[in-house]
Amino acid sequence: MIWGPVVQTMVMTGASRGIAGEALARIVDAAPGAHVLVVVRDAARQAWASAFDEVRLVEADLARLPDVASAAQHIARLVDSGEVPPISTMVLNAGIQRVDANGRTEDGFEPTFAVNVLANHVLVRSLADRLQPRGRVVITVSDTHFGDLRHNLGMVPGPQWRDPHVLARPGAFDRPGTLRAGRTAYSTSKLAAIHLMHEYARRYPERVVLGYNPGFVPATGLARDAGPLTRYAMQHALPLLARTPVVGTVQGAGRQLADLALGRLDAPAGAYVDRDRVARSSPQSYDPARERQLWEAAERLTGRA
């Protein structure tokens, strides 16, 4: 078994619940003495953090890119001042799935694309220089980007690619006020995340950038904005299928994410890790021209060009 770099400082998003919350507990247990910087929207409401001496909360609303930039600057200052060691791992797990594709953030972006794509870009671009050589960046993606019955039980429509500047704004899909459009925005954002993961791997060859697919895992909080019937199914009915190959558990996915973050699961840079193995993502996810176009758009949209 090949191990990654010794975990000194880890940056995490989406760790206040669900898969990354489970992974956080395992990481702290496996890497005593490591510093874990968890980006959260409201630090005052995160009572769970008091259970971990190693965890420090960094406040930011991932739907507001100036917030994300400020959080990244704060983390960079901690590293530059020597208050925490250089970053060994980034686990970018936070994601949202909305009931429509018509929302608008304060910055004017469609929220799904803002959180699932642009917030990650700000963090990677701001902190890559503070990441140790061979340090890991693990981005949680989704097999919904395949867009077929096998991978998501037909519950999520497949991605519909557009110019990234269109995808970043409200109303990118037909009937944007519908649940179908909201789920299409989600699968498309996860395809975009894989595209950027490939581009990061090319542009940061001394880092190990990976995409992690947990599969279909109910009871993570992802469907918290859905209607009552969907929320009930995700929290109570669908978890009963966890003994089948189709549905995973929060505990199992958290273990896999922790293993990948800690380097217990070896994978080459740019790999798509399906649960606990390296696999191929969808054929359309391999498109260097589209990946470069998305990088350039993300640079402009986040003000980094």
Side-chain angles (χ1 to χ4, degrees), residues 236-253:
H236 302 289
L238 291 173
L240 298 177
L241 299 175
R243 294 183 180 274
T244 73
V246 176
V247 178
T249 65
V250 170
Q251 294 75 21

Side-chain angles (χ1 to χ4, degrees), residues 96-100 155-156 178-180 182-183 221-235 238:
I96 62 171
Q97 179 177 302
R98 288 173 48 84
V99 295
D100 59 45
M155 294 188 295
V156 180
T178 64
L179 177 62
R180 181 177 181 82
R183 291 181 174 175
L222 184 63
R224 56 187 173 273
D225 294 329
L229 183 59
T230 298
R231 291 201 307 272
Y232 180 86
M234 292 290 282
Q235 291 293 327
L238 291 173

Side-chain angles (χ1 to χ4, degrees), residues 39 58-74 77 105-109 114 118-119 122-123 126 301-303:
V39 181
V58 178
E59 195 163 297
D61 182 347
L62 296 180
R64 297 187 67 254
L65 297 188
D67 263 24
V68 182
S70 294
Q73 291 164 8
H74 176 67
R77 286 193 295 269
T105 68
E106 292 180 19
D107 311 324
F109 297 115
L118 297 181
V122 172
L123 290 170
S126 300
L301 293 166
T302 61

